[in-house]
Amino acid sequence: MTKRKIVLAFSGGLDTSYALVDFREKGWDVVTANIDTGGLHSGEAEVVSARAEELGAVEHHVVDARSELYDRVVTYAIKANYLRNGAYPSCVGAERLIQAEKVVEVALQVGADAVAHGSTGAGADHVRYDAVIRALAPHLEIITPVRDERLVREEEAEFLRSRGFAVSEKVKKYSINEGLIGTSIGGEETYGSWDYLPEDAWTYTRSIADAPDQGVELHLTFEKGEVVTATYAGGDSLVEADAPNYAILQALNVLGGEHGVGRGIHMGSTMVGNLARVGFEAPGMLILIAAHRELEKLVLSNRQQATKATLGNTYGDLLHEAVYFDPIMDDFRAFLDSSQTRVTGTVRVLLHKGTIVLLGSKSPYSLLDAATRAGIVYGHGSSAWTGEQARAFAHMYAMPGSIARLAAHPAE
């Protein structure tokens, strides 16, 4: 009798290692799919592949999805200036769209009967994976042992050790998900609202105390809302000229991390209704969003900025919450693309001891330069109107407040 085949989204971590062995013991042929969305460093793909083979996978696939992730997710997150609750750049969560799509592609390629992932039922990742799989391959069964059996990490670790497989103590203690957008870190300290992650929990960002005393200045150039070059103040480029589209973000993650930029702990409501807290490291996204927003202040009108802040945040929240296939997402992206027509220019950024300092910006579409050409210089008067006209404007501007004051105090 032919064994049934299942494709498992496989990172080599504790949850998916448990799932692989569990499936194999239940009689499945397990095909593992490791989708690289920025979490694999030099040599790590080989380590994950070796782990899959050690645990008994019949096939192992590695899919490089970094470029697609950058084009379809990262660029729009930057255009939207999206930070969840104003702080969190949706590390890893927004990447699940691409990862789940690629897992489905592998499943269809190998003729699988089912797909699986190692997400628990406590967070949102299981919803993200399921939303994509059900939309793209509704005929495939979705099996999730960690979610369905409500396992805790200690139980998974003991299961693997009892079968002779090694388990890293750090992997056992912390759930770490690294990607191009950033790294999320969950552990005992994040289960409550008071404790902060210890120094050894962070993966690549330095503490402020260990960051260099001398900061570094960068010049980030955008064209229609997308970063195209990143140079040091002296003119040297941060990345090679023929580097892939995600290279600047990747390099900013490294450089920002060296200067203590990008650490944080985010707390907010999840799509399943609970309050969650997670540590994150995302230097590159925080730097790019800060610079992009600064450039928008120079070239977009107040109404554009206000409308973008609302729609961009809604778009980001929907993306974060796995609303991938509703047509409204295409409408949001069309708006975001239109809003970036004149978001072209360069921003000076200083990274120093955990801070992102915006030193200045310039653009051929600068509203400040246009105002100067019109004779308007803030703080120094204007040749565009007379003192009498300014007085009349102030008088008329104050009128609604005066009327409201009189209405609130009719006896006066």
Side-chain angles (χ1 to χ4, degrees):
M1 181 178 176
T2 303
K3 285 186 176 181
R4 298 182 74 201
K5 185 178 293 185
I6 189 168
V7 172
L8 169 65
F10 186 74
S11 67
L14 181 59
D15 293 327
T16 55
S17 293
Y18 166 84
L20 198 168
V21 177
D22 181 59
F23 284 132
R24 182 171 53 77
E25 291 186 356
K26 289 175 178 175
W28 289 89
D29 274 344
V30 185
V31 176
T32 47
N34 184 211
I35 315 303
D36 183 10
T37 52
L40 295 179
H41 300 288
S42 177
E44 289 186 358
E46 291 76 14
V47 172
V48 175
S49 177
R51 180 67 164 173
E53 181 179 357
E54 174 196 11
L55 297 175
V58 297
E59 290 180 39
H60 180 70
H61 296 250
V62 179
V63 181
D64 186 349
R66 290 173 293 178
S67 183
E68 189 170 348
L69 169 70
Y70 188 85
D71 277 342
R72 293 176 53 197
V73 176
V74 173
T75 57
Y76 284 98
I78 295 171
K79 289 176 182 180
N81 298 321
Y82 179 66
L83 296 173
R84 180 82 165 175
N85 294 326
Y88 178 53
S90 192
C91 299
V92 183
E95 299 178 5
R96 298 308 189 207
L97 163 64
I98 306 298
Q99 292 173 342
E101 286 184 350
K102 298 305 177 186
V103 168
V104 169
E105 288 179 10
V106 173
L108 297 177
Q109 175 187 332
V110 302
D113 302 288
V115 291
H117 54 83
S119 302
T120 71
D125 278 349
H126 69 110
V127 181
R128 296 183 177 111
Y129 272 113
D130 284 18
V132 174
I133 296 166
R134 294 193 185 283
L136 300 181
H139 65 286
L140 291 176
E141 184 180 358
I142 302 173
I143 305 177
T144 54
V146 178
R147 173 176 64 181
D148 298 342
E149 298 169 28
R150 302 178 65 183
L151 297 169
V152 297
R153 297 179 67 78
E154 290 76 12
E155 292 175 314
E156 296 170 12
E158 181 55 34
F159 174 89
L160 291 170
R161 279 197 295 264
S162 70
R163 287 150 176 81
F165 299 115
V167 178
S168 163
E169 284 304 310
K170 186 167 184 178
V171 167
K172 177 184 171 185
K173 187 174 181 182
Y174 293 102
S175 175
I176 298 173
N177 292 285
E178 184 175 355
L180 190 62
I181 297 174
T183 298
S184 67
I185 306 167
E188 182 179 354
E189 294 83 4
T190 63
Y191 298 155
S193 61
W194 184 257
D195 293 325
Y196 198 73
L197 287 168
E199 193 60 35
D200 63 357
W202 304 102
T203 65
Y204 67 92
T205 57
R206 292 186 182 181
S207 68
I208 293 175
D210 292 334
D213 292 331
Q214 184 68 36
V216 59
E217 181 179 334
L218 299 173
H219 295 177
L220 302 176
T221 297
F222 295 81
E223 290 182 4
K224 294 186 176 182
E226 297 188 25
V227 64
V228 291
T229 63
T231 62
Y232 293 99
D236 291 337
S237 178
L238 191 62
V239 301
E240 299 294 330
D242 58 349
N245 56 355
Y246 54 82
I248 291 176
L249 174 57
Q250 204 168 47
L252 288 175
N253 279 332
V254 175
L255 183 62
E258 291 174 355
H259 286 270
V261 170
R263 287 187 183 184
I265 294 187
H266 172 254
M267 182 164 61
S269 297
T270 73
M271 69 179 77
V272 297
N274 63 316
L275 197 64
R277 189 167 179 254
V278 66
F280 67 89
E281 298 171 289
M285 286 298 286
L286 293 180
I287 294 166
L288 288 173
I289 289 173
H292 177 262
R293 185 188 292 112
E294 186 71 7
L295 182 58
E296 285 192 330
K297 292 177 183 178
L298 185 65
V299 302
L300 297 186
S301 70
N302 286 339
R303 289 187 177 89
Q304 282 180 299
Q305 292 180 60
T307 302
K308 262 198 82 256
T310 300
L311 295 184
N313 191 65
T314 301
Y315 170 80
D317 281 346
L318 291 176
L319 182 69
H320 182 83
E321 295 172 1
V323 182
Y324 301 133
F325 302 108
D326 191 303
I328 190 63
M329 300 300 277
D330 292 327
D331 299 332
F332 279 123
R333 284 187 286 268
F335 167 78
L336 290 170
D337 285 338
S338 177
S339 75
Q340 301 300 291
T341 302
R342 290 188 291 276
V343 185
T344 293
T346 300
V347 183
R348 294 174 60 210
V349 179
L350 175 67
L351 309 180
H352 183 229
K353 289 286 188 181
T355 61
I356 302 169
V357 184
L358 301 167
L359 301 175
S361 60
K362 63 180 181 179
S363 169
Y365 303 107
S366 167
L367 293 174
L368 187 61
D369 291 347
T372 300
R373 294 198 303 273
I376 306 168
V377 181
Y378 180 74
H380 293 276
S382 171
S383 61
W385 55 73
T386 66
E388 183 180 350
Q389 289 170 327
R391 176 184 288 275
F393 175 80
H395 175 78
M396 298 299 293
Y397 189 83
M399 192 60 65
S402 299
I403 293 172
R405 177 70 172 73
L406 288 172
H409 301 83
E412 292 183 5

